[in-house]
Amino acid sequence: MTKEQSPSLQELLAAERRARLAAEQLLETKHAELTRANRRLGLHARQLTDEIIQQRRQVREVRTEAEALKGQASQAQKDLERAHRQATVAERRLWDALETIQDGFAVFNRRDQLLIANRSYLSLFDGLDGIRPGITYGELLQLLLNEGVVDTGTEAAGAWHDAMLARWTGETIEPVVLRLWNDTYVKLMDRRGQDGDLVSLVLDITDTIRYERDIEDARQRAEAAARAKAAFLANMSHEIRTPMNGVVGMSELLIESDLDEEQRLYAETIKNSAEALLVIINDVLDYSKIEAEKLVLHPEPFDLERAIHEILVLLQSSAADKGIDLLVDYDMFLPTRFVADPGRIRQILTNLIGNAVKFTPAGHVLVRVTGYAEEGSPRFNLHVTVEDTGIGIAADKLELIFGEFSQVEDERNRQFEGTGLGLAITQQLVGMMGGEIWVDSVPGEGSCFGFQLSIDAVEPPLPQDFSLPERLRSAMVVDDLPINRMILEKQLSAMGLRVATYRSAGAALNDDPGRFDLVLFDNDMPEMDGLAFAERMRAKGSGSALILMTANPSHLAAQEQESRAIFAVVQKPLLRRDLHMKLRELAAAMQAAAAVAVLPPRQRMRILAAEDNKTNQLVFSKMLKQLDLDITFANDGIEAVEKFQSTRPHLVFMDISMPRMDGKEATRKIRGIEQAEGLERTPICALTAHAMDGDDQGILEAGLDFYLTKPLRRPEILERIRAHLPEGIEIEPTEPPLPAAVPAPRPAAAAAQPPPGDRAPHP
Ligand code: ADP
């Protein structure tokens, strides 16, 4: 075998093996590729499957959603239909209702055009064709006028139309009543809504109007009847009064005639009964007169404070029987003269104060008057109150007591007499004067009745001059009643006095009452009465002026007053003007007393004694005590010159050795004054301690006329005095001493001190 020529089998086998290997490799490669492609295909297929599943799910969801929406839409449709049905029913019901009610109902739009109206509304227009939706309110009103539907009475048609239109444009539309052609009445009530629509209601009020008219007719008829009855009563009581006056007058005459005991008793009973009857008849007469409107007021000027005072004086005896204090607190700065019906004012006051006294078993009754000027006019707004500490009135009775014939019905009350007309009359009178009356009360504690009036003062309100002369500066008030202390303090302070108040004589005595210019004290005090107090004051040597207050001045013996040197006894309650007058009198008396002391009258010999030693002054004055001399002491030379100037003495006794300025120097000054003023030479007698040689020369040179040596002897002094007694002057006492009631003038320094117990000084 050749290897080169022909492929050997081996070679062929190898080639074939190689080819097979290559094929196998290729197959393997292809197989691997196939496997990869296969795997990719598988993945892709899975992906596709997933997407399909996903899409299917979405389709399913969308489908269910669509299903659900379809269901909802049909529900909404159903709801809408139901709502529509309901609305239709509601509207129908509303219209049924609106048509059923008798009142007219209409709605206008914002341009005032009629939108809808019920039948009643339309019937108001009596079937007028023009009244239909779209007509304006103005046209509607015009139609009412043109067709004579509305009766405008005295008002012109045009004015009515304008007024009705104007009414609609306002913020709030007031109801209006229209009278229609057939004498029926309708009331229009309109209201504008938020969107500008206007709802108009028309109510038929014919029945109400007719009813009111009937009532008014009945009231007028009843009043006329009442007036007629009252007029009859007024006439009757007037007629009864005339013979009653006869009964009273005649029984008075009868009592004055010669009667035995029994006859007198009968006659007095007749008189008392007749008088009681007269009081009742007068009440009835007044009441019926007011009711019949026949009572006329007669205003004229009168003094209110005096009227109150006079009423209190009249009631004083019944108050004193019960031990009640009657007090007045009249505003210091209020005028007293006003213009009103004085008789009726008295009647009002008498009723209120009389009741207060009647229903007060113990304590006090206080009348208080206050007020203020109304700006720019003589008018005053007056408040008068009457306070008592009496039985009081229960709250549920307070409103009733002003009614006629009304009295509080209880055991305590019925012990009091009365007609029960007093307060009814009082209220009517106050009302007629344009005022008001009221009451406050606490059962068991007291009542306070008050009324207010606006009336003219007679004079324009001048500032009242309540000032007092300088001489009166301080006052002590002694009264056990706090209110009275308060009132007096107020009044005295307003007069410019410094006031200290004390609630008892004992307290006052403890506080040196002599330091006051004036002591104003009550006589009726517990523990120590006024007279005893005055006695103790005088015993203490007090020189204060005393004014005693008492409800019963007549009960006081003149001698009791004199022995205590009481300046004045005044009646309680005290009028502020009377108090002021008394104080002016007192000040004048004090002034006179002071003038007597400072500038003695011609008929007393004036002696000036200059002496620094107090004991010597005392000895000097004791020596001359028996004589009616006016002696002034000077404590040194300077004072001697001053007092010479002020007293112009007839004779001077001059101590030579004195502090500040000696006697010689003082004498020289006095001589100088005499010369300068062209006065006569005043005899001056020197007083020296020891007469030494040469002394007399110096003394005489200084201008003294003669000298006496100490110790002084009475006869020598008397001799000097007699030797220089001016013509026509007596020194033996002839006049009584000054009344002790007027306090002697006190040294300025002492008087200027504020009194003890004093409060803040008043302007
Ligand atoms: P009368 O004539 O009975 O006093 P009034 O009209 O004056 O009639 O008073 C009516 C009633 O009011 C009295 O009866 C009394 O019950 C009561 N009243 C009036 N004032 C007072 C008062 N100050 N205190 C207590 N009660 C009073």
Side-chain angles (χ1 to χ4, degrees), residues 599-653:
L599 294 168
R602 292 207 160 275
Q603 56 268 43
R604 290 179 94 205
M605 184 180 185
R606 296 185 297 277
I607 289 176
L608 174 62
E611 166 63 70
D612 63 314
N613 185 300
K614 293 277 174 200
T615 315
N616 287 346
Q617 282 186 13
L618 194 69
V619 172
F620 190 86
S621 59
K622 285 234 153 130
M623 281 178 175
L624 302 177
K625 199 172 77 190
Q626 311 295 336
L627 301 180
D628 185 19
L629 290 172
D630 186 21
I631 305 172
T632 308
F633 285 104
N635 294 308
D636 57 51
I638 294 179
E639 247 187 72
V641 178
E642 282 168 9
K643 299 238 161 122
F644 173 82
Q645 289 266 56
S646 62
T647 66
R648 291 291 140 91
H650 296 115
L651 173 63
V652 180
F653 289 95

Side-chain angles (χ1 to χ4, degrees), residues 283 351-360 386-388 390-394 397 400-410 413-414 416-426 439 441 446-449:
D283 269 3
N351 276 339
L352 296 183
I353 306 174
N355 274 349
V357 172
K358 183 159 78 170
F359 295 107
T360 302
V386 180
E387 280 172 43
D388 65 50
I391 61 172
I393 304 160
K397 301 291 190 310
L400 309 175
I401 55 170
F402 290 108
E404 55 271 28
F405 307 109
S406 97
Q407 299 176 316
V408 178
E409 281 303 334
D410 72 28
N413 210 297
R414 278 310 101 231
F416 304 103
E417 294 177 348
T419 55
L421 276 179
L423 286 178
I425 294 170
T426 304
V439 58
S441 187
S447 311
C448 176
F449 284 80

Side-chain angles (χ1 to χ4, degrees), residues 49-65:
T49 317
D50 283 352
E51 266 171 32
I52 287 169
I53 290 170
Q54 177 78 9
Q55 270 177 2
R56 264 208 203 125
R57 195 186 298 141
Q58 278 176 354
V59 167
R60 221 173 23 242
E61 275 172 12
V62 169
R63 214 179 259 155
T64 25
E65 229 166 82

Side-chain angles (χ1 to χ4, degrees), residues 115-331:
L115 289 177
I116 46 165
N118 69 358
R119 228 169 301 153
S120 300
Y121 191 90
L122 296 175
S123 73
L124 175 70
F125 304 98
D126 214 20
L128 290 180
D129 281 346
I131 310 293
R132 61 166 73 95
I135 184 173
T136 67
Y137 187 60
E139 291 164 346
L140 186 146
L141 293 173
Q142 196 56 51
L143 214 59
L144 287 180
L145 283 172
N146 293 349
E147 299 295 328
V149 173
V150 60
D151 178 357
T152 62
T154 52
E155 196 174 0
W160 180 85
H161 186 269
D162 294 347
M164 289 294 286
L165 265 187
R167 173 178 161 269
W168 254 33
T169 55
E171 260 298 277
T172 48
I173 307 172
E174 291 298 325
V176 63
V177 173
L178 304 185
R179 181 189 154 109
L180 305 186
W181 61 280
N182 52 1
D183 197 28
T184 57
Y185 290 83
V186 291
K187 185 178 196 175
L188 304 190
M189 306 211 314
D190 306 307
R191 203 171 82 86
R192 208 168 274 283
Q194 275 177 341
D195 55 359
D197 277 3
L198 193 133
V199 177
S200 180
L201 277 183
V202 184
L203 313 182
D204 187 339
I205 55 164
T206 310
D207 286 348
T208 317
I209 296 263
R210 292 207 178 124
Y211 185 61
E212 278 172 6
R213 211 191 281 158
D214 289 350
I215 287 181
E216 179 57 24
D217 283 352
R219 194 177 65 85
Q220 279 180 8
R221 274 199 304 275
E223 276 180 2
R227 272 199 301 278
K229 212 164 67 187
F232 168 75
L233 256 176
N235 284 338
M236 277 306 292
S237 29
H238 186 75
E239 292 302 317
I240 296 170
R241 225 155 51 141
T242 318
M244 281 308 297
N245 281 323
V247 176
V248 173
M250 282 299 152
S251 52
E252 263 168 7
L253 287 180
L254 191 61
I255 289 166
E256 278 163 27
S257 67
D258 204 6
L259 298 179
D260 66 28
E261 272 300 296
E262 199 174 356
Q263 288 169 327
R264 182 170 303 278
L265 181 71
Y266 293 164
E268 271 172 358
T269 311
I270 293 174
K271 182 179 163 250
N272 291 342
S273 311
E275 273 175 347
L277 200 55
L278 259 182
V279 170
I280 297 172
I281 290 168
N282 282 342
D283 269 3
V284 173
L285 177 60
D286 275 339
Y287 186 74
S288 359
K289 258 194 187 165
I290 293 172
E291 281 294 282
E293 289 167 16
K294 277 192 176 167
L295 193 126
V296 186
L297 297 174
H298 300 286
E300 58 181 82
F302 77 106
D303 189 317
L304 177 63
E305 193 184 13
R306 199 152 286 284
I308 294 174
H309 200 250
E310 281 165 9
I311 292 165
L312 290 179
V313 169
L314 277 181
L315 291 167
Q316 190 67 266
S317 74
S318 41
D321 286 348
K322 299 204 247 177
I324 305 175
D325 277 291
L326 299 184
L327 308 168
V328 187
D329 182 8
Y330 197 104
D331 189 338

Side-chain angles (χ1 to χ4, degrees), residues 572-594:
K572 285 197 304 182
L574 214 57
L575 272 189
R576 55 186 188 150
R577 205 177 331 143
D578 289 353
L579 173 65
H580 183 242
M581 238 159 61
K582 270 278 168 295
L583 297 193
R584 286 197 83 97
E585 271 173 33
L586 172 64
M590 285 166 78
Q591 183 73 39

